């Protein structure tokens, strides 16, 4: 692996091993996003039965739990396939210790970033910092609350509007909340007065999301509105203290990392992951941005433009940063889990979250990017990393930067490519004075296998092309050998 695939796409086993490569890149004006490539998927490190058990509530085991949605449940075949079974409790403590180890590794990664360059980034994955099952639950809650808002907007005759144009009349909303038993009119009154209201008398999605903030206890947060029964129902019938602690610890670990990054002048990039985790990952990252991006963009969220909802997500979050006055930091990617996402959606039977074609994803990428570039022009408070291997996208960005008068020296727009790929884009940008970064994954061979498997999928076409080129070269060598003109120039 080290001589071939690993050597091509991964910088080395640890912080020390990667230093020469970082120095070499810096000489060409190319920075680094250090990425200790550990990640977990559902049930990783836990046998399938225990995994399914830990994601299934008592109510579901007894045949209830219709409230849980297919997309946000653990599913056999998409959990872990090992045969041994470990009890959930053992797993919980072993796993918490592993999360702490990952946090320590990320802290060392932040220190290494700060030591190796003045404008460095560190990348982290939230599934490495807590139990993935919590992200699954929290994602479902966020999605259901958002859907509830959309349904109420439709009832108020606003179905065709864009997300940010939907505004619910506070009066009607209060009645709906009271009828559902979410809050009495007296309770919801103070939610909808004064600063909590963006525009007086109406509630938009951001005001609505802020209601979720005020439901601080997690078990309370896991109540979701059931539109059929008109009742507020628990997503899980029992949510243990232990699980409450898991969530708190995950937030604490994020907090420790953000503080260290701010201290060391390193920007923290939170990677996007599978769509069944992503609403929670994005939301938790947003909470970090609200606290740490007051003076400059330190925390960067990632938006996957192959998702159908990407533009809605970007516009809603940018609007929140405008209202609250913090610096919006983002990395735009196309997305890395397409085959897995499509297969899971098809097998389990929910709507495919991915755009139908590559062209649609391109369109989505440019739309999101344009929106952020306009925001940079108007407020100078947003920052974006254009993480793309697509030359058209890079050219599009350069053209729009010129048109909007955004100068490379402002460092509001930077570019990113993966180590081992697209050097023909990265290095010319660095030489021309644009902020550009290589994503530098590192870690032991067995830890980075999920990362490498995605690179293998991505580079299948590339490898085939390389094989074709090699065959042609070999043919030419043989032709010249037979002609006795191996070292003669080609006429």
């Amino acid at each position: 692996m080290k001589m071939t695939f690993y050597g091509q796409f991964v910088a080395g086993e640890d912080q020390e091993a990667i230093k020469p490569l970082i120095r070499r890149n810096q000489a060409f004006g190319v920075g680094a996003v250090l990425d200790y490539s550990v990640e977990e998927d559902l049930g990783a490190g836990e046998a399938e039965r225990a995994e399914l058990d830990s994601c299934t509530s008592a109510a579901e085991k007894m045949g209830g739990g219709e409230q849980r949605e297919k997309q946000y449940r653990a599913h056999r075949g998409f959990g872990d396939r090992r045969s041994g079974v470990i009890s959930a409790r053992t797993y919980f403590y072993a796993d918490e210790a592993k999360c702490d180890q990952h946090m320590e590794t990320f802290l060392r990664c932040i220190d290494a970033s700060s030591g190796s360059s003045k404008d460095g980034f560190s990348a982290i994955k939230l599934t490495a910092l807590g139990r993935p099952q919590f992200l699954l639950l929290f994602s479902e809650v966020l999605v259901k609350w958002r859907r509830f808002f959309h349904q109420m907007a439709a009832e108020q005759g606003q179905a065709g509007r864009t997300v940010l144009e939907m505004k619910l009349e506070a009066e009607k909303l209060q009645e709906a909340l009271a009828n559902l038993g979410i809050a009495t009119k007296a309770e919801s009154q103070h939610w909808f007065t004064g600063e909590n209201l963006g525009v007086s008398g109406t509630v938009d999605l951001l005001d609505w999301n802020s209601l979720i903030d005020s439901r601080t206890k997690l078990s309370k947060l896991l109540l979701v509105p059931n539109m059929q029964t008109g009742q507020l129902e628990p997503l899980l019938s029992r949510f243990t203290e232990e699980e409450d602690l898991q969530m708190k610890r995950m937030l604490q670990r994020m907090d420790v990392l953000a503080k260290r990054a701010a201290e060391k002048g390193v920007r923290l990039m939170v990677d996007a992951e599978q769509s069944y985790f992503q609403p929670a990952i994005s939301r938790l990252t947003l909470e970090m941005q609200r606290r740490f991006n007051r003076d400059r963009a330190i925390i960067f969220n990632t938006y996957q433009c192959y998702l159908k909802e990407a533009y809605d997500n970007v516009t809603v979050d940018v609007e929140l940063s405008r209202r609250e006055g913090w610096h919006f930091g983002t990395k735009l990617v196309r997305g890395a889990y397409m085959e897995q996402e499509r297969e899971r959606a098809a097998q389990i039977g929910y709507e495919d979250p991915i755009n139908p074609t590559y062209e649609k994803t391109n369109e989505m990428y440019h739309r999101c990017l344009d929106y952020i570039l306009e925001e940079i022009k108007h407020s100078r408070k947003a920052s974006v990393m254009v993480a793309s291997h697509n030359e058209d996208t890079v050219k599009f960005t350069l053209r729009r930067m010129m048109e909007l008068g955004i100068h490379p020296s402002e460092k509001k727009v930077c570019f990113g490519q993966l180590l081992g790929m697209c050097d023909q884009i990265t290095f010319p940008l660095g030489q021309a004075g644009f902020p550009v970064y290589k994503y530098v994954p590192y870690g032991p061979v067995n830890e980075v296998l999920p990362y490498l498997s995605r690179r293998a999928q991505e580079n299948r076409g590339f490898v085939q092309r390389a094989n074709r080129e090699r065959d042609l070269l070999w043919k030419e060598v043989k032709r010249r050998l037979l002609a006795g003109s191996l070292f003669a120039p080609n006429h």
Side-chain angles (χ1 to χ4, degrees):
M1 284 294 276
K2 279 191 174 167
M3 294 301 287
T4 55
F5 217 61
Y6 178 94
Q8 173 72 12
F9 295 111
V10 181
E13 296 244 359
D14 54 33
Q15 283 88 303
E16 281 309 304
I18 65 181
K19 278 183 178 165
L21 181 136
I22 291 171
R23 276 193 215 104
R24 199 163 60 242
N25 283 354
Q26 265 179 337
F28 293 99
V30 175
V33 179
L34 295 194
D35 179 19
Y36 187 79
S37 289
V38 288
E39 59 191 273
E40 303 281 346
D41 197 348
L42 277 180
E46 182 181 18
E48 188 178 81
R49 202 147 53 95
E51 136 70 10
L52 286 164
D53 196 51
S54 67
C55 271
T56 312
S57 68
E60 284 175 283
K61 284 174 198 158
M62 295 168 71
E66 290 79 21
Q67 279 290 85
R68 293 298 310 275
E69 296 201 11
K70 291 175 181 175
Q71 185 174 356
Y72 302 99
R73 269 191 275 189
H75 284 271
R76 209 173 289 282
F78 289 91
D80 194 311
R81 297 169 194 274
R82 295 178 327 168
S83 53
V85 174
I86 308 161
S87 81
R89 178 171 273 273
T90 319
Y91 157 77
F92 168 51
Y93 286 112
D95 203 63
E96 287 291 304
K98 198 166 79 174
C99 292
D100 284 335
Q101 281 166 17
H102 289 159
M103 182 186 75
E104 291 301 328
T105 307
F106 287 148
L107 285 169
R108 286 197 295 276
C109 181
I110 291 167
D111 293 346
S113 283
S114 133
S116 62
S117 67
K118 65 175 193 305
D119 275 329
F121 282 98
S122 274
I124 62 169
K125 282 195 165 58
L126 291 200
T127 56
L129 291 177
R131 198 171 175 204
Q133 285 75 1
F134 156 65
L135 294 171
L136 205 65
L137 281 174
F138 191 34
S139 290
E140 183 172 354
V141 171
L142 292 168
V143 166
K144 284 199 158 165
W145 277 98
R146 181 176 293 195
R147 195 175 300 152
F148 181 47
F149 174 84
H150 281 286
Q151 280 173 291
M152 287 197 293
E155 281 173 20
Q156 291 192 17
Q158 301 187 22
R161 299 187 181 182
T162 66
V163 185
L164 285 171
E165 284 172 346
M166 289 181 179
K167 298 195 191 300
L168 305 180
E169 288 175 36
E171 284 288 308
K172 287 184 187 170
L173 178 57
Q174 283 178 294
E175 275 165 34
L177 291 173
N179 293 342
L180 278 167
I182 295 174
T184 62
K185 274 206 159 180
E187 283 175 318
S188 62
Q189 195 66 46
H190 76 274
W191 289 347
F192 299 134
T193 51
E195 60 186 303
N196 281 358
L197 269 190
V199 183
S200 61
T202 62
V203 176
D204 66 10
L205 186 63
L206 295 177
D207 301 317
W208 177 248
N209 284 344
S210 69
L211 298 189
I212 300 180
D213 294 347
S214 57
R215 312 174 65 79
T216 46
K217 186 119 172 81
L218 187 62
S219 44
K220 253 198 149 175
L221 189 65
L222 291 178
L223 291 173
V224 292
N226 180 341
M227 293 301 282
Q228 275 70 47
T229 61
Q231 290 299 307
L232 202 64
E233 297 176 7
L235 191 63
L236 290 180
S237 58
R238 57 186 180 85
F239 198 75
T240 63
E241 281 301 307
E242 213 160 81
E243 284 164 319
D244 215 46
L245 277 172
Q246 280 176 10
M247 179 206 174
K248 288 202 175 83
R249 287 198 192 108
M250 187 176 197
L251 296 173
Q252 280 162 357
R253 290 183 193 107
M254 289 169 69
D255 201 52
V256 168
L257 293 173
K259 281 185 175 135
R260 176 72 63 93
E263 228 169 77
K264 297 274 183 179
V266 171
R267 289 166 293 176
L268 207 55
M269 206 155 246
V270 181
D271 280 346
E273 302 187 56
Q274 289 88 340
S275 66
Y276 38 92
F277 297 139
Q278 195 51 40
I281 290 172
S282 214
R283 180 60 196 251
L284 294 171
T285 307
L286 196 77
E287 293 306 324
M288 286 162 75
Q289 288 186 311
R290 295 168 92 170
R291 293 176 49 213
F292 293 96
N293 287 8
R294 288 270 153 220
D295 304 318
R296 65 190 196 101
I298 287 178
I299 311 294
F300 278 61
N301 210 341
T302 303
Y303 296 87
Q304 298 157 304
C305 295
Y306 67 4
L307 293 179
K308 292 171 182 171
E309 59 176 38
Y311 185 74
D312 282 355
N313 294 342
V314 168
T315 52
V316 165
D317 292 354
V318 167
E319 174 61 22
L320 184 68
S321 72
R322 273 186 211 134
R323 279 188 198 180
E324 298 183 342
W326 44 269
H327 291 248
F328 180 81
T330 181
K331 176 178 68 160
L332 281 187
V333 299
R334 277 175 172 76
Y337 302 92
M338 186 174 80
E339 290 182 24
Q340 185 187 353
E341 292 278 11
R342 287 208 199 286
E343 188 191 342
R344 191 176 190 267
Q347 282 198 23
I348 294 169
Y350 56 88
E351 191 198 337
D352 185 352
I354 310 286
N355 285 320
T357 63
Y358 185 71
E359 289 67 40
K360 280 264 179 274
T361 292
N362 270 349
E363 217 175 277
M364 178 68 87
Y365 194 105
H366 288 180
R367 241 182 114 198
C368 293
L369 178 55
D370 216 36
Y371 188 84
I372 296 163
L373 292 174
E374 291 277 357
E375 179 63 18
I376 291 172
K377 182 195 171 183
H378 294 305
S379 76
R380 290 296 193 261
K381 267 192 163 185
S383 300
V384 63
M385 175 178 277
V386 180
S388 176
H389 294 164
N390 184 308
E391 290 188 26
D392 291 336
T393 295
V394 172
K395 285 175 185 159
F396 171 84
T397 312
L398 296 175
R399 194 188 79 234
R400 292 296 288 141
M401 284 174 74
M402 273 179 62
E403 289 168 3
L404 295 166
I406 301 167
H407 198 269
S409 63
E410 293 179 58
K411 296 187 175 172
K412 294 292 184 195
V413 181
C414 60
F415 296 86
Q417 285 84 39
L418 297 169
L419 183 71
M421 291 173 74
C422 287
D423 288 356
Q424 80 281 6
I425 293 179
T426 312
F427 288 93
L429 282 171
Q431 295 289 275
F434 286 89
V436 62
Y437 294 83
K438 275 294 190 199
Y439 226 71
V440 179
Y442 66 99
V445 175
N446 60 333
E447 293 267 15
V448 300
L449 282 175
Y451 176 82
L452 283 174
S453 73
R454 290 204 299 278
R455 296 294 78 79
Q457 276 179 355
E458 207 169 59
N459 284 279
R460 265 187 312 212
F462 168 77
V463 171
Q464 282 158 1
R465 285 197 302 279
N467 287 345
R468 241 194 340 269
E469 272 176 38
R470 188 196 57 201
D471 293 344
L472 289 169
L473 284 168
W474 190 232
K475 229 183 237 175
E476 177 65 9
V477 166
K478 281 200 277 198
R479 188 190 68 74
R480 290 189 183 190
L481 275 173
L482 291 170
S485 61
L486 184 59
F487 299 107
N490 190 6
H491 294 298

